[in-house]
């Protein structure tokens, strides 16, 4: 009897797991708040130090950002933008960057999607234009 | 066997937690946060033409929500002070944009309701409660000034004829994503009090939407990530911790679950208790009976890169530039410090607070109270307290100084009709007499027809932007000449300039020298005696 309950529990968990992943696949929107934190604490940290200052989402339009994000060329084409949202990059800076540490295990595609949501939403013609403040 | 079932269930529960926690993805986070996915509710799967339509849909399930809201200060904008006077946004006059009366359609952009456009607003209509302003999670819900709290759902030119087009807000997707409140929700109004980002409070601005630890240890987006409601523990939509009902002194301990408390839960003590400092720094615990936690733990406000207004002189408003258009002046950093509509401002960042004794009582100067133009500024509000009343603590405050319109014959503050597309609004015609006449008439108050300007002062408690312990004040920040608490009267603060007394120090050092000499003489005697014995 105990065993039955246990097996039923495990089976339920598996189903729940499948459920979660099914929802996950449909979560196209992206978590803009997580995107915001990553953008501010990882992207902007480096831009302030090495790119002559912060780059505000409202500096460009949604169409510009969509093209930029799809092209995946960063810093005047020198490297890949996706690289800076990757788990590999996060692992390399997590000793000194708390956002990279906190989000160390978030799947690449998901985090990139979060950043995309934040940038599009904050674009000049986005739903809620965001400066760097 | 019951026990075994229990342990099986416990293991299952642990596995659920592990599975969900380990997944660390947005979707499972969402499942764990709420048992309802609002996108699945038929009633929300529609395009709404107005805010009240959304509220009607919300109320089909949350049947009592509007009635709860209608009992709150957020809805009424009214507060009865312990001294019997009626306060709240609805009736006070401050030294920022001055008054809500006669400017409803603009000020009520930040009301949690729809349609409060004049003093005939019906506070009993349930569908006029705005659910989305507090429960939107998309960050896309906006209410534009001038629409009495209504949301614009079709592209609209505003003001009419200006060429300025407002983008419509799509309510359906927003309604489908509602959830608990976050800093972004509260911040949509409270970060922008006084007419702009960070203007009013100094310790509340948009930098707190996603702050780091150095700005606020509690709200740190990568750490504790507190929502406002974590401290402002809300029950039945009643949000505790209003500045109209401040708790200056909390002698209670840290709160326990299951116990019922009647007092304000937003105080530091309600979590940290009365002796929060560790053994190595236990001396600090001797301070907690007289010094508010905020005094040491918020070394400065406006620390997030957003300046706050420190003073506002309305008397200079109305200047036109050479082009005949309302003048605007900016400082070296490009920040606005003068506009024809509002006058001259001083703005500042990283501001060291002023410190006062505060016992929780606040007195106000209201419309009709007699005021004199003189050497002392009129106190729009004032924190009461003293060293001797045994009910006060030393608190950090922002003192906001201004010069604003008053009636020099009736000697009263005035209601000014600031905003509006009509020809009497000050922001349209820049004529004080006209604007005040309409403002005063709107509240049925007498007006002599003359306008002059009087210096005013208001106080704001500094209580957010709590810094990490390493950045808290050190002993010498107060215990030294010219230090922070120099002007706080009625208490002896060792080391403070005003507490230096030459004769007291001479006596002190003389006693110390005598004690040392005594010990040396006694010690030498003992050694000599011991030698002799051998």
């Amino acid at each position: 009897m105990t065993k039955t309950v246990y097996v039923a529990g495990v089976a339920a968990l598996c189903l729940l797991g499948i459920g979660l992943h099914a929802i996950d696949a449909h979560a196209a929107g992206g978590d803009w708040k997580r995107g915001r934190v990553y953008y501010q604490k990882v992207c902007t940290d480096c831009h302030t130090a090495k790119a002559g200052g912060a780059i505000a989402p409202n500096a460009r339009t949604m169409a510009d950002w969509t093209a930029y994000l799809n092209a995946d060329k960063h810093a005047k084409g020198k490297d890949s933008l996706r690289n800076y949202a990757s788990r590999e990059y996060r692992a390399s800076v997590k000793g000194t960057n708390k956002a990279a540490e906190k989000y160390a295990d978030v799947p690449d595609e998901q985090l990139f999607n979060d950043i995309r949501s934040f940038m599009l939403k904050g674009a000049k013609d986005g739903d809620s234009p965001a400066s760097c403040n | 066997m019951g026990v075994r079932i229990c342990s099986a269930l416990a293991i299952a529960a642990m596995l659920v937690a592990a599975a969900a926690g380990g997944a660390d993805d947005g979707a499972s986070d969402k499942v764990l946060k709420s048992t309802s996915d609002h996108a699945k509710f038929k009633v929300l799967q529609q395009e709404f033409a107005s805010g009240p339509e959304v509220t009607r849909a919300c109320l089909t399930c949350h049947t009592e929500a509007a009635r709860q809201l209608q009992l709150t200060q957020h809805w009424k904008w009214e507060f009865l002070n312990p001294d019997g006077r009626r306060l709240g946004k609805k009736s006070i006059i401050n030294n920022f944009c001055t008054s809500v009366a006669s400017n409803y359609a603009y000020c009520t952009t930040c009301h949690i309701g729809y349609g409060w456009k004049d003093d005939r607003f019906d506070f009993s209509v349930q569908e006029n409660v705005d659910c989305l302003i507090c429960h939107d999670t998309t960050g896309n819900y906006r209410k534009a000034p001038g629409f009495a709290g209504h949301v614009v759902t079709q592209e609209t030119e505003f003001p009419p004829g200006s060429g300025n087009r407002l983008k419509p807000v799509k309510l359906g997707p927003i309604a489908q994503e509602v959830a608990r409140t976050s800093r972004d929700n509260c911040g949509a109004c409270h970060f922008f009090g006084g007419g702009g980002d960070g203007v009013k409070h100094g310790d509340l601005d948009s930098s707190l939407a996603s702050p780091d630890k150095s700005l606020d240890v509690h709200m740190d987006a990568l750490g504790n990530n507190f929502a406002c409601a974590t401290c402002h523990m809300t029950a039945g939509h009643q949000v505790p911790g209003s500045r109209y009902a401040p708790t200056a002194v909390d002698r209670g301990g840290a709160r326990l679950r299951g116990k019922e408390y009647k007092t304000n839960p937003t105080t530091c003590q309600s979590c940290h208790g009365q002796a929060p400092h560790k053994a190595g720094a236990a001396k600090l615990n001797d301070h907690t009976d007289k010094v508010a936690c905020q005094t040491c733990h918020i070394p400065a406000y406006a620390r997030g890169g957003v300046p706050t207004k420190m003073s506002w002189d309305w008397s200079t408003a109305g200047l036109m530039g050479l082009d005949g258009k309302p003048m605007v002046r900016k400082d070296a950093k490009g920040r606005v410090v003068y506009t024809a509509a509002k006058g001259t401002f001083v703005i500042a960042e990283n501001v060291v607070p002023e410190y006062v004794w505060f016992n929780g009582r606040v007195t106000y100067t209201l419309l009709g109270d007699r005021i004199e133009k003189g050497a002392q500024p009129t106190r729009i509000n004032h924190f009461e307290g003293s060293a001797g009343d045994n009910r006060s603590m030393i608190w950090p405050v922002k003192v906001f100084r201004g010069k604003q319109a008053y009636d020099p014959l009736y000697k009263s503050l005035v209601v000014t009709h600031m905003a509006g597309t009509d020809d009497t609004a000050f922001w349209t015609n820049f004529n004080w007499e006209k604007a005040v006449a309409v403002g005063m008439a709107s509240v049925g108050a007498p007006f002599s027809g003359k306008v002059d300007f009087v210096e005013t002062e208001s106080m704001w408690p500094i209580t957010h932007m709590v810094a990490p312990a390493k950045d808290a004040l050190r002993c010498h920040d107060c215990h030294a000449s010219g230090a922070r608490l120099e002007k706080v009267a009625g208490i002896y603060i060792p080391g403070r300039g005003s507490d230096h007394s030459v004769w007291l120090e001479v006596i002190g050092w003389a006693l110390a020298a005598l004690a040392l000499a005594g010990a040396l003489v006694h010690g030498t005697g003992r050694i000599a005696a011991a030698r002799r014995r051998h």
Side-chain angles (χ1 to χ4, degrees), chain A residues 13 32 36 110 121 125 127, chain B residues 16 26 138 140 142 167 184:
Chain A
L13 283 176
W32 68 272
R36 173 172 68 184
Q110 203 167 348
K121 193 178 147 52
D125 56 346
D127 283 320
Chain B
V16 171
T138 67
N140 296 338
R142 278 182 314 276
K167 238 177 105 173
D184 285 286

Side-chain angles (χ1 to χ4, degrees), chain B residues 314-503:
Chain B
W314 280 99
S315 72
T316 61
L319 297 181
M320 296 295 135
L322 292 175
D323 56 1
K325 290 194 180 141
M327 195 189 273
V328 175
R329 270 193 227 122
K330 295 185 177 174
D331 67 6
K333 290 186 181 163
R335 304 176 304 192
V336 175
V337 289
Y338 176 85
T339 70
K342 296 183 175 180
T344 315
F345 324 122
V346 173
I347 55 176
E349 286 180 55
N350 298 311
V351 188
V352 171
E354 295 181 38
Y355 298 93
V356 296
W357 287 107
F358 183 34
N359 60 21
R361 285 210 338 252
V362 189
T363 49
Y364 288 78
T365 302
L366 302 177
L367 179 70
D369 289 350
R370 193 180 169 82
I371 60 172
E372 291 295 344
K373 185 172 177 172
Q376 291 302 320
T378 293
R379 291 166 163 181
I380 293 290
N381 73 347
H382 188 72
F383 288 12
E384 303 294 324
S386 69
D389 70 2
N390 264 333
R391 293 185 298 137
S392 298
M393 301 260 257
I394 298 169
W395 268 79
V397 294
K398 168 180 168 178
V399 179
F400 183 68
R401 300 184 164 88
K403 217 177 199 189
Q404 71 195 89
Y406 89 114
D407 184 328
L409 296 183
Y410 285 123
K411 297 198 182 292
S412 165
L413 292 172
V414 290
V415 169
T416 309
H417 177 41
M418 290 288 176
T421 46
D422 59 294
D423 140 78
T424 58
F426 183 77
W427 289 343
T428 314
N429 67 21
F430 301 103
N431 180 317
W432 281 108
E433 284 74 17
K434 258 189 184 179
V436 173
V438 170
M440 294 297 265
S442 80
V443 293
F447 172 51
S448 70
K450 296 245 172 323
V451 174
D452 192 7
F453 294 87
V454 63
E455 283 185 16
T456 52
E457 230 176 60
S458 59
M459 280 187 179
W460 305 86
I462 294 300
T463 188
H464 306 99
M465 297 191 179
V466 176
K470 69 174 177 45
D471 298 331
L473 297 192
R474 305 277 134 192
C475 308
H476 63 258
D477 287 308
C478 300
H479 295 281
S481 289
R484 292 186 180 226
L485 301 186
E486 194 67 66
K487 291 189 191 142
V488 176
I491 187 170
Y492 175 69
I493 301 178
R496 179 167 75 158
S498 50
D499 286 322
H500 270 308
S501 160
V502 177
W503 62 266

Side-chain angles (χ1 to χ4, degrees), chain A residues 1-2 6 13 16 20 23-24 32-34 36-37 40-41 98-99 102 106 110 121 125-128 133, chain B residues 1 4 12 15-16 24-27 31 137-140 142 167 182 184 206 209-210 212 220-222 305:
Chain A
M1 164 66 202
T2 311
Y6 185 72
L13 283 176
L16 179 62
L20 291 181
I23 294 164
D24 181 22
W32 68 272
K33 288 193 185 177
R34 184 159 62 189
R36 173 172 68 184
V37 175
Q40 290 177 343
K41 309 288 189 271
K98 269 183 74 184
K102 177 154 181 187
V106 180
Q110 203 167 348
K121 193 178 147 52
D125 56 346
D127 283 320
S128 147
N133 260 335
Chain B
M1 195 206 72
R4 280 205 219 136
L15 284 170
V16 171
D24 191 14
D25 56 56
V31 170
T137 62
T138 67
N140 296 338
R142 278 182 314 276
K167 238 177 105 173
S182 70
D184 285 286
S206 66
S210 166
D212 58 14
D220 172 16
L222 290 166

Side-chain angles (χ1 to χ4, degrees), chain B residues 76-267:
Chain B
K76 298 181 189 171
W77 280 12
E78 204 169 66
F79 177 80
L80 199 61
N81 211 27
D83 63 9
R85 311 194 78 198
R86 200 163 290 281
L87 308 175
K89 284 188 189 308
K90 208 163 115 183
S91 31
I92 60 146
I93 295 177
N94 68 20
N95 50 356
F96 292 90
C97 286
T98 66
S99 66
V100 171
S102 89
N103 302 301
Y104 286 105
Y106 289 78
C107 303
T108 60
T109 311
C110 265
H111 181 234
I112 56 153
Y114 300 118
W116 187 357
K117 64 178 173 12
D118 53 34
D119 53 9
R120 284 165 306 177
F121 180 63
D122 186 346
F123 286 89
S124 68
V125 177
Q126 298 204 5
E127 67 187 36
N128 281 346
V129 170
D130 180 352
C131 309
L132 297 179
I133 191 69
C134 302
H135 294 287
D136 164 42
T137 62
T138 67
N140 296 338
Y141 186 70
R142 278 182 314 276
K143 308 217 277 184
F147 292 85
H150 275 299
V151 57
V152 173
T153 54
Q154 292 191 341
E155 195 176 88
T156 309
E157 187 186 33
F158 192 81
S162 66
N164 179 35
R165 305 202 76 82
L166 299 176
K167 238 177 105 173
V169 173
K170 288 199 192 80
L171 293 174
I174 294 173
Q176 290 176 20
E177 294 285 325
V178 289
R180 283 185 186 186
T181 60
S182 70
R183 294 189 299 272
D184 285 286
N185 296 116
C186 308
C189 285
H190 293 279
F191 293 161
F192 297 89
D197 197 359
V199 166
K200 189 189 272 178
H201 296 278
D203 64 343
L204 284 176
D205 62 47
S206 66
S207 65
L208 288 174
S210 166
D212 58 14
K213 190 172 177 184
S214 67
L215 181 56
D216 190 290
V217 291
H218 301 109
M219 296 190 249
D220 172 16
L222 290 166
N224 291 322
N225 202 19
F226 279 19
C228 305
T230 311
C231 296
H232 293 267
M233 290 169 67
T234 303
H237 283 106
Q238 296 279 346
V239 183
S242 159
R243 73 178 173 85
Y244 282 115
T247 304
V249 182
D250 179 354
R251 301 268 183 240
R255 291 171 179 235
L256 298 172
R257 290 179 203 191
K259 269 200 157 186
E260 212 184 301
Y261 298 92
K262 295 260 181 284
T263 51
N264 180 1
T266 59
T267 63

Side-chain angles (χ1 to χ4, degrees), chain B residues 268-286:
Chain B
C268 309
Q269 290 85 350
S270 72
C271 288
H272 296 284
Q274 299 294 331
H277 306 98
K278 297 206 183 89
K283 182 68 198 157
L284 297 175
N285 289 333
D286 295 343

